[in-house]
Amino acid sequence: MKAHDGMYIDGEWRPAAGADTIAVVNPADEQVIALVPAGTIEDVDAAVRAARAAFPAWAATPPAERAARLAALRDVLVARKDEIAGTVTAELGSPLKFSQAVHVGAPIAVAGSYADLAASYAFEEKVGNSTVYLEPVGVVGAITPWNYPLHQIVAKVAPALAAGCTVVLKPAEDTPLTAQIFAEAVHEAGVPAGVFNLVTGLGPVAGQALAEHEGVDLVSFTGSTAVGRQIGATAGAAVKKVALELGGKSANVILPSADLAKAVNVGVANVMSNSGQTCSAWTRMLVHEAQYDEAVALAADAAAKYGERIGPVVNAKQRERVVGYIEKGVSEGARLVAGGPEAPRKEGYFVSPTVFADVTPEMAIAQEEIFGPVLSIIRYEDEADALRIANGTVYGLAGAVWAGDETEAVAFARRLETGQVDINGGRFNPRAPFGGYKQSGVGRELGSHGLSEYLQTKSLQF
C-alpha cells in the first residue's frame, strides 16, 4: 500500500528528520502493508513553527472563506470515500461495509456540519456596553487514536480550522495511512500552507513533543485516561488549554417497561460494533432481576451471530489485553454465556464476541475499560439500585436508557453522571456535543460546543 515517506509540513511533503520508520500491519492477517516515518522532536518543531507562522493570516480569514475550505475538504473526502474506506479496512481491520458507512460516512457528515457552522456562527456579540469577540486559541496540537482514525481527525481538525486555528496532527501509529490521505485531501481542498500539518510518529516521542511544545496553545487528545492524565499535567504546567476525550464504561439501562428483545439486541450490536473498540460502547447491560434470565439468553443468541461479522482488534497487544480481561472475568466468578478467551482464527488479531452473565458491579470487567467485544450483564433490584450501579464507575462518557415511556427514560437519563445518553436507541447526531463527566474527559467535541473549545473570549467596553 502506497505511503508517504515524509511529513506534511507547510503545505508540502518533506523528508523526515530521522531515519526510523513505523511498520503498519494489517490486523486481519498480520502482514506489514506499509512503512511510515517515525517523527522526531525536530519534525514536531518544524510543524509547530509552520503552524505558528500561518496562524495570523488564517485567523484573519473571513469565516465564510474558512467555511468554503471546509466544504471543499468535505467534497474531496466524498470523492475519495472508497479509497479511504479501503485504507481503514487495511490498517484497522474493520469490515469494508462498516468502514464505508461509519468510518467514512460519519466524518464526512461532521466535516459538512462544520462547513455550515463556520459560515453561520456568531463570533461576536453585544452585551450592554461591551462587544464580546470569540477569537481562535492559536496553534492546536491534535493527538488522535486508532479506533476511528478519520472521524477522530475530522472531529478535531474541522472545528479548529472553522475557529481560525492552525493545527499540527499526530495520528495514532497503528493507523497513519488514513491520516496521510486526509493531509492530501486538505491540500487538494486549497487550505493554505501551514494551516494544517501532519507528523506521524510514536506517542512517547512525537506526541509528547507536541504536547510540551511552547508554540502549541491547545492540546486536543483522544485516548486512554492514563495518557490523558499525563497530557493534562504537561499542559497544566504551562497553563495551556486542553481538551481530553478519554475512556468509558457506559451503562445500557433496560427498565422493566422497555421492549426487552429490542433493547438487548441493539445493546449487543453496540458493544460488538468496531470489534468493541469504541470508547462510548455500552459495555455494561443493566437488567431488572425479573427479566434477567431472559435477557441473558437473548444476548447470548445475539452475540453468536457476530462470530463471522466483526473484524479483529487492532494489534497483538490489544488482543492480549482483551483476552486477559476475559480470563479475569472467569476467575472473578462471572459466567461465560458466549465467546471466551480462545482465538477464533489461526491468523489475525481476532477475539470471540463474548458475553458474561452473573457479573457484579465491583468486578474488574464491570469497572475497567476493556476495549474489545466483551459485554457484562448485571442485574439490579429497582431503579435506585440501577442508578447506583450505572453511576458506580470513575467514567461518565455515554450510556443508554430503554423504557416503554419516553418520559420515564428521560427522567432516569437525567440522573446519569454521563455526557451523552441514547434514549430507546436514539440515532447518532453529528451536531450534538460529545464528551464525558468524571475521568472520561474535559471538554466537548462536535457541533457548536466542539467549536467553542477552540475559541477564547475577549470583551471590549465602550
Side-chain angles (χ1 to χ4, degrees), residues 80-130:
R80 300 183 67 173
K81 65 182 188 299
D82 291 338
E83 175 192 2
I84 299 171
T87 300
V88 172
T89 292
E91 62 181 353
L92 180 63
S94 169
L96 184 59
K97 288 185 178 180
F98 189 80
S99 293
Q100 292 168 332
V102 177
H103 284 292
V104 180
I108 285 174
V110 171
S113 75
Y114 278 113
D116 295 339
L117 191 57
S120 61
Y121 194 81
F123 288 96
E124 63 178 85
E125 65 172 331
K126 294 290 292 183
V127 181
N129 66 308
S130 301

Side-chain angles (χ1 to χ4, degrees), residues 78-322:
V78 169
R80 300 183 67 173
K81 65 182 188 299
D82 291 338
E83 175 192 2
I84 299 171
T87 300
V88 172
T89 292
E91 62 181 353
L92 180 63
S94 169
L96 184 59
K97 288 185 178 180
F98 189 80
S99 293
Q100 292 168 332
V102 177
H103 284 292
V104 180
I108 285 174
V110 171
S113 75
Y114 278 113
D116 295 339
L117 191 57
S120 61
Y121 194 81
F123 288 96
E124 63 178 85
E125 65 172 331
K126 294 290 292 183
V127 181
N129 66 308
S130 301
T131 300
V132 179
Y133 296 91
L134 298 177
E135 300 179 341
V137 168
V139 174
V140 173
I143 304 173
T144 56
W146 46 261
N147 59 325
Y148 289 90
L150 182 62
H151 173 72
Q152 299 285 2
I153 290 170
V154 171
K156 297 183 187 303
V157 175
L161 299 190
C165 297
T166 55
V167 180
V168 177
L169 169 68
K170 204 298 284 184
E173 48 263 39
D174 290 287
T175 54
L177 304 180
T178 300
Q180 290 190 342
I181 295 176
F182 180 80
E184 294 173 355
V186 168
H187 189 89
E188 189 175 342
V191 175
V195 171
F196 171 82
N197 307 273
L198 169 68
V199 176
T200 55
L202 301 175
V205 180
Q208 183 172 340
L210 185 58
E212 293 178 346
H213 201 291
E214 63 181 9
V216 172
D217 300 294
L218 181 153
V219 181
S220 180
F221 169 79
T222 297
S224 72
T225 297
V227 176
R229 289 194 193 99
Q230 296 173 7
I231 289 175
T234 297
V239 196
K240 186 180 301 186
K241 190 174 181 181
V242 294
L244 304 173
E245 197 270 279
L246 308 175
K249 195 67 183 177
S250 301
N252 179 19
V253 182
I254 305 174
L255 298 176
S257 62
D259 180 335
L260 183 64
K262 181 179 180 181
V264 170
N265 284 320
V266 173
V268 171
N270 176 278
V271 173
M272 302 307 162
S273 176
N274 208 40
S275 302
Q277 300 169 129
T278 303
C279 53
S280 57
W282 311 333
T283 51
R284 295 180 297 146
M285 181 179 289
L286 277 56
V287 184
H288 189 271
E289 57 189 4
Q291 299 172 313
Y292 189 80
D293 291 341
E294 182 182 359
V296 168
L298 288 168
D301 288 344
K305 299 174 184 177
Y306 284 89
E308 298 298 322
R309 291 166 56 186
I310 66 172
V313 295
V314 70
N315 55 38
K317 182 179 179 180
Q318 185 65 17
R319 185 184 185 281
E320 182 181 346
R321 169 188 170 86
V322 176

Side-chain angles (χ1 to χ4, degrees), residues 305-351:
K305 299 174 184 177
Y306 284 89
E308 298 298 322
R309 291 166 56 186
I310 66 172
V313 295
V314 70
N315 55 38
K317 182 179 179 180
Q318 185 65 17
R319 185 184 185 281
E320 182 181 346
R321 169 188 170 86
V322 176
V323 169
Y325 269 107
I326 295 174
E327 293 172 341
K328 183 177 290 186
V330 172
S331 68
E332 287 181 317
R335 175 167 56 98
L336 271 175
V337 296
E342 295 78 15
R345 304 188 191 184
K346 291 184 178 179
E347 66 176 10
Y349 308 125
F350 290 88
V351 177

